[in-house]
Amino acid sequence: MVWSLQAPTDFSESQFAQWSKLLEERTGIQLSTQQKTLLQSQVAIRMRELGYRDTNQYFDEVTNGLSGLMEWSVLVDRLTVKETSFFRHRPSLEYVRRFLQNRINNRQLHNSFDMWSVGCASGEEPYSLAMVANDCFELARLDPYYGITATDISHSALTQARRARYPQRKLEPLYPDEVQRYLTRTDDGQYEVIEKLRDRVCFSQGNITRIGHMPVIKMDVIFCQNLLVYFRRWLRRDILNAFADRLKPGGVLIIGLGEAVDWEHPSLRRVVGDEVQAYIRDERQKQ
């Protein structure tokens, strides 16, 4: 998670506790005391933009009425935008490739191959998944029959993701042939994801800590990396259990290495290996 560093107005311990509690209640994100400066920096920046001088007055603003909810949505965007990249953890994406190739080779694709990118930020992760899926379908000379749902809490990140344009530095993790096949250079020197990938990704705003309010759509792949670490252990467990319920029989859940070391689920088995933390749902489980 990236925080802009500006000279902050000092928070008292009680103010930090107050703001931390609000953030956790509304987003599930747990802040440590080491992040006090980072939190107050973002609050101070927004206060200066609006002309507030009193922190308590601004707190009252974001916790009251419809205008408060609108202001909170602006502030939370500043607090939750994560740094991401294409193929951020390539071993996990390559596992998805092998998983889909195996389905195709064994003629186990009877319906659309559906994936969910959780905490998609500015879109690099779901577009990476789309590249992998498209590779598999093209290799098998099949019409692409897949879809990706991409969710994030940040409206501004989703706006950027839908735009699908990235500076050249963002392309560094990609292989040259991936850049050539899946991005085009724009007049302003940026790179745009090609239309046939963009058409396969549906971006939607959602708070994963309120997963119970989200539609229960069964997925072949749920991809959630570098997100659970911000939540308390009990909340991680609840989210993971909800993910398990949203997997198709034989579907796979992929999370970041070490994000849930001791979690188990009766319907899932852990994939053996050190490079990827993945769980397969029992194929005998009914949908």
Side-chain angles (χ1 to χ4, degrees):
M1 183 174 294
V2 176
W3 306 72
S4 300
L5 296 177
Q6 299 272 343
T9 301
D10 287 341
F11 275 4
S12 66
E13 291 302 318
S14 62
Q15 286 175 324
F16 176 65
Q18 185 181 46
W19 280 98
S20 298
K21 181 181 178 182
L22 181 66
L23 184 64
E24 184 170 1
E25 285 177 347
R26 294 188 174 183
T27 69
I29 295 173
Q30 179 188 12
L31 295 181
S32 66
T33 54
Q34 288 78 16
Q35 293 170 305
K36 177 181 177 181
T37 300
L38 305 177
L39 172 62
Q40 64 190 19
S41 295
Q42 290 296 333
V43 172
I45 291 169
R46 186 57 181 160
M47 286 175 59
R48 283 198 293 272
E49 290 174 355
L50 298 176
Y52 281 95
R53 294 181 176 273
D54 183 85
T55 304
N56 293 327
Q57 183 183 5
Y58 180 60
F59 184 87
D60 290 340
E61 167 65 21
V62 300
T63 54
N64 285 292
L66 180 60
S67 62
L69 289 175
M70 295 176 64
E71 174 56 27
W72 172 255
S73 69
V74 174
L75 181 61
V76 80
D77 269 358
R78 312 282 183 90
L79 299 173
T80 58
V81 174
K82 302 184 297 298
E83 179 65 25
T84 186
S85 65
F86 289 102
F87 286 84
R88 181 173 181 177
H89 188 245
R90 190 171 280 271
S92 293
L93 273 298
E94 293 302 326
Y95 182 87
V96 174
R97 186 192 304 276
R98 294 192 299 272
F99 180 77
L100 176 53
Q101 284 178 335
N102 185 64
R103 287 281 186 90
I104 293 174
N105 293 341
N106 291 299
R107 299 185 177 183
Q108 294 176 328
L109 284 183
H110 306 299
N111 296 296
S112 173
F113 188 79
D114 300 307
M115 294 183 279
W116 182 10
S117 171
V118 186
C120 66
S122 47
E124 290 93 325
E125 179 178 281
Y127 290 132
S128 297
L129 288 167
M131 292 177 195
V132 166
N134 194 75
D135 282 349
C136 293
F137 281 98
E138 285 193 351
L139 182 65
R141 297 183 179 180
L142 296 173
D143 290 335
Y145 194 28
Y146 72 92
I148 300 169
T149 300
T151 58
D152 200 273
I153 196 173
S154 170
H155 289 283
S156 62
L158 290 169
T159 297
Q160 184 178 349
R162 293 186 184 102
R163 188 166 181 260
R165 289 192 176 190
Y166 303 93
Q168 186 172 9
R169 64 177 178 81
K170 282 283 191 175
L171 277 52
E172 292 178 0
L174 293 169
Y175 296 144
D177 67 300
E178 291 168 338
V179 174
Q180 182 178 6
R181 294 171 60 210
Y182 293 126
L183 294 111
T184 57
R185 189 178 176 89
T186 61
D187 292 339
D188 60 0
Q190 296 199 40
Y191 287 80
E192 184 177 65
V193 178
I194 61 174
E195 185 176 5
K196 72 177 181 179
L197 294 192
R198 299 200 309 271
D199 288 346
R200 295 289 169 177
V201 184
C202 177
F203 291 99
S204 179
Q205 196 275 340
N207 185 343
I208 196 58
T209 66
R210 296 170 184 169
I211 192 171
H213 297 156
M214 295 181 178
V216 180
I217 302 173
K218 299 293 185 176
M219 295 287 169
D220 293 284
V221 174
I222 297 178
F223 202 92
C224 179
Q225 295 200 314
N226 309 302
L227 178 63
L228 297 174
V229 68
Y230 298 111
F231 304 141
R232 295 185 186 272
R233 288 180 62 186
W234 67 266
L235 184 53
R236 293 183 214 176
R237 182 188 65 246
D238 289 351
I239 292 170
L240 288 166
N241 288 340
F243 285 158
D245 292 338
R246 284 163 169 76
L247 282 176
K248 297 178 186 178
V252 62
L253 166 65
I254 302 174
I255 63 176
L257 290 172
E259 285 194 289
V261 178
D262 57 353
W263 177 72
E264 295 180 350
H265 191 280
S267 299
L268 275 63
R269 60 176 174 82
R270 173 80 182 267
V271 172
V272 177
D274 297 329
E275 285 193 312
V276 176
Q277 188 164 345
Y279 302 83
I280 299 285
R281 186 173 179 86
D282 189 339
E283 293 193 41
R284 296 168 295 180
Q285 296 287 328
K286 293 183 180 180
Q287 294 194 48

